[in-house]
Amino acid sequence: MIRRSCYVLLCTLLLLVFAPLAANAESNVHYVALGDSYSSGTGAGSYDLSYSCQRSSRAYPALWAERNAVQSFSFDACSGATSASVRSDQLGSLSAETTLVSVTSGGNDAGFVDVVLACRTGTDQDCFSALDDAELYIAETLPGELDLLYADIRAGAPSAHVVVLGYPRLYETTPCFGAISVERRERVNATADTLNAAIHDRASAHGFAFADVSPSFEGRRICASSPWIHGPTWPLSSSYHPNGSGHDSGYLPVLAGAVG
């Protein structure tokens, strides 16, 4: 009994000594979340009404910060942001103390939401023409915009671990009542893949981690029985964006894995 009591006392003392050290280690994280609506949390609800950016407490950056006891968290992502507006409006929180940055950008540059709406409401010609235009922009213009953004992020946070997250494919291609044709869905998904490939390429060129979320949404896209992405919905701004489950179960684990 005496030996057991000593063992319990020793374990208690060790916990008292090392628990504060672990807490302090976690609290050394200074996290800045940048990007567009896929980072701000449009579609997840529970928005901070102090801003017009649709920043949600259910968005993956806010969830990661809450669950990892960060010392500081600056949530600067904003719905509708392009790579240029991230550069001009969101980088003020970066500093030499910043240890972690996450960002999604590129979808609005390529006009992806407008493309999806064209495929939802227009003819095949409207849809495929819009997709062709988006793919041309992704090939010829987007890499330069991303290079400028990533260079500015590195300049503002020279020591930070930067995680660039991609975008999920939007559609399942199984039979789906009321959905656009399978051919249109496949083309939209293929353009999302093209977008992700361009983002991955430029992120890697800058030494940033690219986090691919597409596998996480497999079987949970629009037309799934329990989708993690909104189809056409109200409010309209939530359409074609991840819902709360998409952030908590889709994006969050991918960010966590990329942070390590």
Side-chain angles (χ1 to χ4, degrees):
M1 288 294 293
I2 294 175
R3 180 177 296 177
R4 182 176 180 182
S5 298
C6 290
Y7 176 77
V8 172
L9 177 60
L10 177 60
C11 290
T12 302
L13 290 172
L14 289 173
L15 286 173
L16 290 173
V17 170
F18 288 107
L21 294 177
N24 289 336
E26 289 182 337
S27 67
N28 286 333
V29 175
H30 296 269
Y31 175 28
V32 178
L34 309 171
D36 53 25
S37 54
Y38 272 67
S39 287
S40 72
T42 298
S46 299
Y47 304 122
D48 182 347
L49 299 181
S50 302
Y51 304 93
S52 59
C53 287
Q54 292 189 318
R55 293 181 187 133
S56 171
S57 60
R58 301 178 67 193
Y60 74 86
L63 295 176
W64 193 92
E66 177 186 356
R67 297 174 190 180
N68 287 274
V70 300
Q71 185 168 336
S72 68
F73 173 49
S74 183
F75 193 8
D76 298 318
C78 190
S79 178
T82 62
S83 296
S85 67
V86 173
R87 292 175 59 215
S88 62
D89 300 337
Q90 296 184 25
L91 304 188
S93 298
L94 299 177
S95 73
E97 292 187 348
T98 304
T99 60
L100 175 64
V101 177
S102 68
V103 59
T104 57
S105 191
N108 288 325
D109 298 58
F112 205 68
V113 171
D114 291 337
V115 169
V116 173
L117 290 175
C119 289
R120 176 69 192 182
T121 61
T123 64
D124 281 349
Q125 181 177 354
D126 294 332
C127 174
F128 300 144
S129 176
L131 288 163
D132 289 341
D133 289 343
E135 290 177 354
L136 183 64
Y137 182 93
I138 292 166
E140 296 186 352
T141 306
L142 182 61
E145 293 297 319
L146 294 177
D147 282 338
L148 292 171
L149 172 59
Y150 297 159
D152 283 356
I153 290 174
R154 178 51 74 210
S159 301
H161 178 53
V162 181
V163 180
V164 179
L165 296 102
Y167 300 90
R169 292 179 172 184
L170 290 181
Y171 290 102
E172 302 294 333
T173 54
T174 53
C176 180
F177 177 75
I180 61 176
S181 69
V182 171
E183 184 180 9
R184 294 193 193 194
R185 282 183 270 162
E186 288 176 342
R187 277 291 314 272
V188 170
N189 286 349
T191 302
D193 290 343
T194 300
L195 174 61
N196 283 327
I199 294 170
H200 186 184
D201 177 71
R202 301 324 304 154
S204 298
H206 288 262
F208 297 165
F210 176 76
D212 185 7
V213 300
S214 285
S216 294
F217 283 82
E218 186 73 35
R220 295 288 188 172
R221 301 184 289 255
I222 298 169
C223 287
S225 57
S226 299
W228 290 351
I229 304 174
H230 292 290
T233 191
W234 185 260
L236 291 175
S237 62
S238 294
S239 301
Y240 310 109
H241 286 83
N243 56 28
S245 295
H247 281 270
D248 196 353
S249 300
Y251 267 90
L252 180 60
V254 176
L255 174 62
V259 172

